[in-house]
Amino acid sequence: MKITGIGLNLSDIVWEMETPEESKKNNEDISAYSKYSALAYQVIGPVAGGVIGGRLLDNYLDKKTPIFTIIFSSLMIVVALYNLIKQGSKN
């Protein structure tokens, strides 16, 4: 059967099914990727929030030195590392 205008023979299309082993391996790869990308966001999120919150508070209080940015970002780094260690010890 030939579709006119496209030049495609339907008999040339080959459908390949994954074996159960291939499907399981692909699911494991996706699961590992999603787990580690979630960990990255759990580290980046609090640190970015600490930096942004500190900057806003420093600007609001007209501080010449970014003391709240340093305090909040340092605190959030500790929180992020704690969460990272907690997640790592769970698995």
Side-chain angles (χ1 to χ4, degrees), residues 15-84:
W15 298 95
E16 293 184 19
M17 298 287 294
E18 288 183 334
T19 63
E21 294 83 19
E22 291 172 339
S23 178
K24 184 176 180 182
K25 180 169 178 2
N26 288 340
N27 287 342
E28 289 172 356
D29 291 343
I30 291 171
S31 176
Y33 175 76
S34 63
K35 179 172 72 171
Y36 292 121
S37 64
L39 285 176
Y41 284 113
Q42 288 177 359
V43 171
I44 292 170
V47 174
V51 170
I52 292 169
R55 293 282 304 226
L56 290 173
L57 191 56
D58 283 332
N59 289 338
Y60 180 74
L61 297 175
D62 291 328
K63 295 288 183 183
K64 294 184 191 248
T65 58
I67 190 70
F68 288 110
T69 302
I70 293 169
I71 291 171
F72 287 174
S73 62
S74 299
L75 181 65
M76 290 300 115
I77 288 172
V78 171
V79 168
L81 288 176
Y82 173 75
N83 285 336
L84 189 65

